[in-house]
Amino acid sequence: MTQTEKQPAETASDIGGHKLAALAYNAVSDMIRHRRLRGGQVITEARLAETLGVSRTPLREALQRLEGEGMVHKGDGRKYVVRQVDIGEYIQSLKLRILIEPEAAVQAIEAIPGRQLVEVRREIDDLMGATAYHTDAHWFSDDRLHNLIIDYCGNDVMAGVLRGLRSTTRLFEIGNLKDRLTPDSTEHLVIVTALQNKDADAVRASVASHVESLIGFARRHLHIAE
């Protein structure tokens, strides 16, 4: 490629636009996680852009990224709508996770850095020892462990499927999430111990048991039939 054929370097405005899009993405993701944008809600781009203090261009880039991750979709009139996950899709997604995530965890055993497992264990201990319940801390702890499995499983296709399934299950609105704190933390510690011991059978069983526990919780608390 000759000098005249070279692609122009990114300008300061390009870089600034990417940063704004990233900021908008983080902000909208946070709004969805905290239910300030709820499932089924139509996103009014002009109003949301004004709320975030950005133009519609970086916001649209952020929404396109969220669409790719399955967090939003195009509704009537081509407007973006926050994806709504019902109990049926939630349970089906968990059932698929049972088939995939235990194997992903086994594949990740040798690759996950030991220091990160130590950090995850400390975070879980802090979460269980806290005097007050914080939803963000609960989600952060949950993400930290499951994302280690996803990031280090060594299979990009498997990782992509699991990320999509976790996006789906995160979008489902569990009203009594606080009730999951003790079982989640206890089950996560069992998984961490199995990973630290590099015990493939224990890893596979503990991950499967954890996801089965989520299904059981949904059926007990949300009155779901078999």
Side-chain angles (χ1 to χ4, degrees):
M1 180 180 288
T2 66
Q3 184 67 30
T4 56
E5 293 173 324
K6 287 182 179 178
Q7 295 294 324
E10 283 192 320
T11 64
S13 61
D14 291 331
I15 296 172
H18 293 326
K19 288 182 178 179
L20 286 174
L23 289 172
Y25 167 82
N26 290 334
V28 178
S29 296
D30 186 69
M31 293 173 78
I32 293 173
R33 284 196 300 271
H34 288 84
R35 315 304 183 197
R36 292 194 294 274
L37 288 173
R38 305 187 75 88
Q41 183 173 339
V42 176
I43 295 174
T44 304
E45 291 185 25
R47 185 182 306 159
L48 184 56
E50 182 179 358
T51 299
L52 299 178
V54 299
S55 70
R56 292 178 67 176
T57 298
L59 175 60
R60 191 166 291 119
E61 289 182 27
L63 291 172
Q64 288 170 351
R65 180 176 170 187
L66 289 165
E67 182 182 23
E69 295 176 356
M71 302 285 280
V72 302
H73 63 89
K74 290 284 185 65
D76 295 337
R78 306 300 292 167
K79 290 185 177 181
Y80 284 103
V81 179
V82 179
R83 185 174 162 215
Q84 190 166 30
V85 174
D86 63 20
I87 183 60
E89 185 177 5
Y90 176 69
I91 294 291
Q92 289 171 17
S93 297
L94 288 174
K95 285 184 173 181
L96 186 52
R97 277 179 58 185
I98 287 180
L99 299 177
I100 301 173
E101 195 164 0
E103 185 59 31
V106 170
Q107 295 301 317
I109 288 175
E110 298 297 335
I112 296 177
R115 59 179 174 77
Q116 293 203 35
L117 290 173
V118 171
E119 291 171 2
V120 168
R121 180 180 290 278
R122 183 177 64 248
E123 289 161 359
I124 295 171
D125 289 338
D126 290 345
L127 185 64
M128 294 183 74
T131 56
Y133 175 76
H134 297 286
T135 302
D136 283 351
H138 188 170
W139 279 130
F140 179 83
S141 175
D142 188 73
D143 281 343
R144 187 75 186 274
L145 176 58
H146 288 282
N147 285 342
L148 280 180
I149 292 171
I150 292 170
D151 292 342
Y152 288 97
C153 73
N155 185 317
D156 290 342
V157 175
M158 182 182 287
V161 171
L162 283 172
R163 286 193 184 93
L165 290 171
R166 277 188 57 75
S167 291
T168 297
T169 52
R170 282 289 295 271
L171 283 168
F172 181 72
E173 300 188 18
I174 300 177
N176 44 355
L177 181 64
K178 182 179 179 180
D179 293 344
R180 279 298 311 177
L181 177 62
T182 297
D184 278 348
S185 298
T186 303
E187 292 158 14
H188 285 170
L189 286 173
V190 175
I191 295 171
V192 170
T193 298
L195 288 168
Q196 289 177 316
N197 292 337
K198 300 186 185 297
D199 184 334
D201 290 339
V203 167
R204 186 178 285 108
S206 60
V207 174
S209 177
H210 172 53
V211 183
E212 285 279 12
S213 173
L214 293 171
I215 294 174
F217 177 85
R219 285 179 171 150
R220 287 192 305 275
H221 292 265
L222 302 172
H223 311 292
I224 302 305
E226 291 286 346

